[in-house]
């Protein structure tokens, strides 16, 4: 289990997170949304053990952040992928990128070769193995970034707005990769795209450092967590039957339709 317990955190005089508690169980798919500047990335960095709370506790697999030696070991069970994969790439080829983290934690060469081959096959990126990461498309970059974390076998994967800079085709590639992980690993997906938020089994909303939730899909929509009139959004969702539909439309198309509906409502 991954847990934040009564956590507060700030930068200077600015309080970013306020007495926040969150519990993520093994195998859960959780989504988090909120406006820009609400503290989503700070929350992600706390969950990953990169930041330490000023008040409260981060607990990974039962080990608290004040247990420096044990907590550092447990941190390895949490992987994080940021919105810009270029900031994570270190090496000069996809193959080397996959091997880099394993080398850092002292995995034997034979095991590294095995895991790299398995990961190239699993993510269908064998054709990219000798390509420099910076030459890849946006979707390919995020695919490699996710693969380079998952090759370390984490129990928890945090994705901090991984599709925000991607075109619709690349976004679809990344979301398919994420959805295929469902049930095999705990996923915390941070996003402002409606269709991505609805991927979660549990949905949380963060605003001004205060966390609300968990919500299920319908209650989250009625709560108005998408920063648009909830009844308008619900109307669009019901029309498209998104609750049960296997294929959710591209968020840009959905948001365009929402804007049209908002104007119609406004002029009634």
């Amino acid at each position: 289990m991954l847990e934040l317990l009564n956590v507060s955190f700030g930068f200077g005089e600015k309080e970013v997170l306020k007495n926040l508690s969150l519990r993520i169980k093994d195998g859960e798919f959780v989504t988090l949304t909120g406006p820009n500047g609400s503290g989503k990335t700070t929350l992600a960095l706390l969950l990953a053990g990169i930041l330490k709370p000023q008040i409260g506790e981060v607990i990974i697999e039962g080990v608290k952040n004040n247990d420096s030696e044990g907590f550092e070991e447990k941190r390895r069970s949490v992987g994080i992928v940021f919105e810009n994969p270029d900031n994570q790439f270190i090496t000069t080829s996809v193959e080397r990128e996959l091997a880099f983290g394993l080398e850092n934690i002292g995995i034997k060469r034979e095991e590294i070769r095995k895991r790299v081959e398995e990961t190239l096959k699993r993510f269908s990126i064998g054709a990219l193995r000798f390509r420099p990461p910076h030459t890849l498309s946006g979707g390919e970059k995020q695919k490699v970034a996710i693969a380079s974390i998952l090759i370390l076998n984490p129990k928890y994967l945090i994705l901090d707005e991984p599709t925000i800079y991607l075109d619709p085709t690349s976004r679809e590639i990344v979301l398919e990769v994420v959805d295929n992980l469902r049930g095999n690993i705990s996923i915390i997906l941070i996003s402002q795209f409606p269709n991505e938020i609805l991927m979660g089994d549990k949905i949380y909303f963060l605003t001004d450092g205060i966390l609300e939730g968990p919500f299920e899909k319908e209650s989250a929509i009625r709560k108005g967590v998408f920063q648009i009139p909830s009844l308008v959004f619900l109307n669009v969702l019901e029309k498209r039957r998104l609750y049960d539909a296997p294929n959710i439309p591209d968020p840009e198309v959905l948001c365009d339709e929402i804007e049209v509906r908002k104007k119609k409502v406004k002029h009634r």
Side-chain angles (χ1 to χ4, degrees):
M1 186 180 298
L2 183 57
E3 188 173 6
L4 300 180
L5 185 60
N6 302 322
V7 165
S8 294
F9 189 89
F11 296 99
E13 296 182 358
K14 182 181 179 182
E15 191 175 22
V16 178
L17 300 177
K18 305 169 185 177
N19 194 31
L20 184 153
S21 293
L22 174 64
R23 179 178 293 176
I24 298 164
K25 298 178 181 178
D26 292 354
E28 280 191 326
F29 194 133
V30 170
T31 50
L32 171 69
T33 189
N36 291 335
S38 61
K40 300 187 298 298
T41 295
T42 301
L43 188 152
L45 294 173
L46 285 162
L47 283 171
I50 296 171
L51 292 179
K52 292 187 177 180
Q54 292 157 346
I55 300 174
E57 297 174 324
V58 180
I59 307 171
I60 304 175
E61 299 287 293
V63 179
K64 299 179 181 180
N65 60 274
N66 56 11
D67 178 356
S68 56
E69 186 174 337
F71 188 76
E72 192 64 28
E73 179 66 26
K74 289 297 182 181
R75 271 186 56 194
R76 295 183 181 179
S77 67
V78 185
I80 185 167
V81 176
F82 296 102
E83 59 188 36
N84 187 351
D86 286 321
N87 293 338
Q88 292 187 231
F89 294 143
I90 297 172
T91 66
T92 56
S93 74
V94 168
E95 183 179 57
R96 293 289 304 127
E97 197 66 34
L98 295 176
F100 183 79
L102 297 172
E103 292 169 348
N104 274 354
I105 59 175
I107 301 297
K108 294 181 179 179
R109 286 189 178 183
E110 295 77 11
E111 178 65 15
I112 290 175
R113 291 193 191 98
K114 178 184 175 183
R115 287 205 209 177
V116 167
E117 292 302 324
E118 289 174 349
T119 301
L120 289 168
K121 183 177 180 180
R122 178 185 180 187
F123 289 92
S124 302
I125 53 176
L128 307 177
R129 70 186 303 157
F130 301 120
R131 293 268 304 275
H134 72 272
T135 67
L136 306 179
S137 69
E140 290 169 341
K141 286 179 180 179
Q142 278 295 25
K143 208 172 180 181
V144 171
I146 293 171
S148 68
I149 296 299
L150 291 178
I151 198 171
L152 300 171
N153 294 330
K155 291 188 67 175
Y156 308 92
L157 177 63
I158 303 167
L159 300 153
D160 187 7
E161 303 201 55
T163 68
I164 193 167
Y165 296 126
L166 303 184
D167 60 81
T169 300
S170 297
R171 188 179 300 140
E172 185 177 340
I173 291 170
V174 171
L175 293 181
E176 182 179 3
V177 169
V178 173
D179 199 47
N180 286 338
L181 298 172
R182 188 185 296 271
N184 299 316
I185 187 174
S186 298
I187 299 171
I188 303 95
L189 174 60
I190 299 171
S191 179
Q192 296 189 57
F193 288 122
N195 70 326
E196 295 180 18
I197 298 166
L198 290 173
M199 290 174 70
D201 301 315
K202 293 181 179 179
I203 300 169
Y204 289 86
F205 183 58
L206 185 65
T207 181
D208 295 327
I210 298 173
L211 188 69
E212 294 183 83
F215 302 107
E216 294 183 351
K217 292 179 177 65
E218 186 169 346
S219 60
I221 295 163
R222 294 187 185 279
K223 183 75 175 176
V225 298
F226 297 104
Q227 300 177 274
I228 56 176
S230 57
L231 290 177
V232 176
F233 194 19
L234 183 60
N235 200 12
V236 176
L237 291 178
E238 286 174 343
K239 178 183 175 184
R240 291 179 175 268
R241 302 176 184 175
L242 291 190
Y243 297 135
D244 299 316
N247 297 315
I248 298 174
D250 182 84
E252 293 178 357
V253 175
L254 181 57
C255 289
D256 286 344
E257 182 166 341
I258 290 168
E259 290 301 318
V260 170
R261 291 215 168 210
K262 283 168 65 178
K263 290 176 182 178
K264 287 182 179 179
V265 170
K266 186 176 180 181
H267 288 93
R268 282 179 183 172

